[in-house]
Amino acid sequence: MTEHNKLVRDHIPNLLRDSGKNIRTRTLDKKEYDESLKNKLKDEVQEYFNTDENEDSLKKLADLLEVIHALSYTHGATIEELEHIRQHREKNTAHSIIVRCSWISKMCDQW
């Protein structure tokens, strides 16, 4: 039996069993789950950076969103509440969406 020790999406164990694989699973405690989600986020970000094609990049972004959804629940918020926080920050702070391709090359108090 090969060691995997990784967090997987909820339906994966059943898919593996249905395909004839013998697997061992366990339920993580909250601390393990939180840490595993953070590691999963890092893995998904790295996979996103390793994509070149638009279609693959969008799939990786969707994977990132799934992990972000799960992380929001671990912090006691729904994805709708998280979006509300994002919108509030966009409206009331300097946290606006990055779409204009603005790049600050230098900054000083006075020229």
Side-chain angles (χ1 to χ4, degrees):
M1 188 169 267
T2 306
E3 291 278 333
H4 283 281
N5 295 319
K6 68 183 266 185
L7 183 65
V8 296
R9 288 169 176 76
D10 293 347
H11 68 283
I12 297 296
N14 287 336
L15 284 175
L16 292 171
R17 287 185 188 102
D18 290 348
S19 71
K21 304 275 187 208
N22 292 316
I23 63 169
R24 290 188 188 145
T25 62
R26 69 182 181 89
T27 302
L28 301 176
D29 64 32
K30 178 163 177 26
K31 184 178 177 183
E32 291 174 309
Y33 180 60
D34 291 349
E35 189 64 31
S36 294
L37 277 174
K38 290 176 184 178
N39 289 330
K40 185 78 166 171
L41 183 64
K42 288 179 199 175
D43 292 344
E44 296 293 351
V45 167
Q46 189 58 51
E47 287 180 23
Y48 171 75
F49 278 113
N50 292 334
T51 60
D52 293 324
E53 301 294 323
N54 280 339
E55 185 176 338
D56 292 337
S57 294
L58 290 172
K59 288 177 184 177
K60 288 295 140 197
L61 288 171
D63 291 344
L64 279 165
L65 277 175
E66 287 183 1
V67 177
I68 290 169
H69 287 197
L71 283 165
S72 70
Y73 292 125
T74 68
H75 294 288
T78 65
I79 194 62
E80 292 81 11
E81 291 167 322
L82 184 64
E83 176 61 16
H84 176 76
I85 292 167
R86 187 201 66 75
Q87 289 174 356
H88 177 77
R89 288 173 58 86
E90 179 183 1
K91 180 180 176 186
N92 298 310
T93 68
H95 293 89
S96 61
I97 298 173
I98 303 169
V99 293
R100 293 194 179 110
C101 303
S102 299
W103 182 271
I104 296 175
S105 57
K106 293 182 182 179
M107 184 169 70
C108 67
D109 291 335
Q110 294 180 336
W111 289 106

